[in-house]
Amino acid sequence: MKVIAIYPGSFDPITNGHIYIAERAAAIFDEVIVSVLVNERKNSAFSVDERCEMARESLAHIKNITVDSFNGLLVDYVRQKNAGVIIRGLRAMSDFEYEFQMALMNRQLAPEIETFFIVTDPKYSYVSSSSVREIFHFGGTVRDVVPKNVFDKLREHYGKP
């Protein structure tokens, strides 16, 4: 039986930490769909199309990964895609408490869907999309924590050489 996993997130922008989690998930599951969240309440730096494009380019080397976007309840989207697993990445213990609560809520809404936690590589444990944007905006170096295509997109977005 083919197991499809959904790796949801805002990916604003996708980082090397996200890619690490996606690579690990792709080694475990038959198919992984990296799903960019459309959240009108969130003030995203990049449009959904831009985030999907950056993710597609960054993950092109992984044959069993596709990129999509969604809005609404995650469990409804997971069912729509005939997936049985939600992938969540963990950077630190502080992530676990929030992710554990979300996993329990998703379990309440959809008991047939499993949540699978993957711990990131320690070298990415401090990396978040928001910190990447902030550091880049103020002139800091983020080359080591995002793929080249994302770095180029950050330069274009913030008008930096």
Side-chain angles (χ1 to χ4, degrees):
M1 184 169 74
K2 183 177 177 179
V3 179
I4 301 170
I6 304 290
Y7 179 23
S10 60
F11 305 108
D12 189 32
I14 193 166
T15 69
N16 289 344
H18 293 128
I19 294 166
Y20 178 85
I21 298 295
E23 289 171 339
R24 299 263 316 272
I28 297 167
F29 299 102
D30 298 309
E31 181 182 344
V32 176
I33 304 170
V34 172
S35 301
V36 176
L37 172 64
V38 177
N39 185 348
E40 292 83 22
R41 294 181 312 180
K42 225 175 181 185
N43 208 2
S44 299
F46 295 97
S47 72
V48 172
D49 290 341
E50 289 173 313
R51 290 183 278 151
C52 286
E53 176 189 346
M54 286 186 281
R56 279 188 195 97
E57 290 173 1
S58 300
L59 298 166
H61 65 285
I62 310 169
K63 298 304 173 215
N64 61 331
I65 287 186
T66 57
V67 176
D68 194 18
S69 63
F70 78 101
N71 59 18
L73 280 178
L74 175 59
V75 293
D76 291 341
Y77 175 77
V78 172
R79 286 177 176 141
Q80 174 193 340
K81 293 296 183 178
N82 295 315
V85 177
I86 297 168
I87 302 294
R88 298 304 297 163
L90 297 174
R91 293 172 298 184
M93 283 304 294
S94 56
D95 286 346
F96 180 75
E97 186 174 348
Y98 171 78
E99 294 296 345
F100 183 68
Q101 289 174 345
M102 292 303 299
L104 290 175
M105 181 56 72
N106 287 336
R107 176 64 123 185
Q108 177 68 28
L109 295 170
E112 74 280 10
I113 298 171
E114 295 293 339
T115 298
F116 193 89
F117 295 108
I118 299 178
V119 177
T120 194
D121 187 304
K123 68 184 173 186
Y124 302 125
S125 63
Y126 64 93
V127 178
S128 69
S129 295
S130 58
S131 66
V132 164
R133 290 190 316 270
E134 186 170 353
I135 290 166
F136 187 84
H137 178 73
F138 288 109
T141 302
V142 296
R143 278 187 195 267
D144 293 340
V145 296
V146 296
K148 183 184 180 326
N149 68 301
V150 173
F151 183 77
D152 292 343
K153 194 73 169 173
L154 284 163
R155 287 176 38 199
E156 176 187 314
H157 183 79
Y158 290 104
K160 305 231 179 199

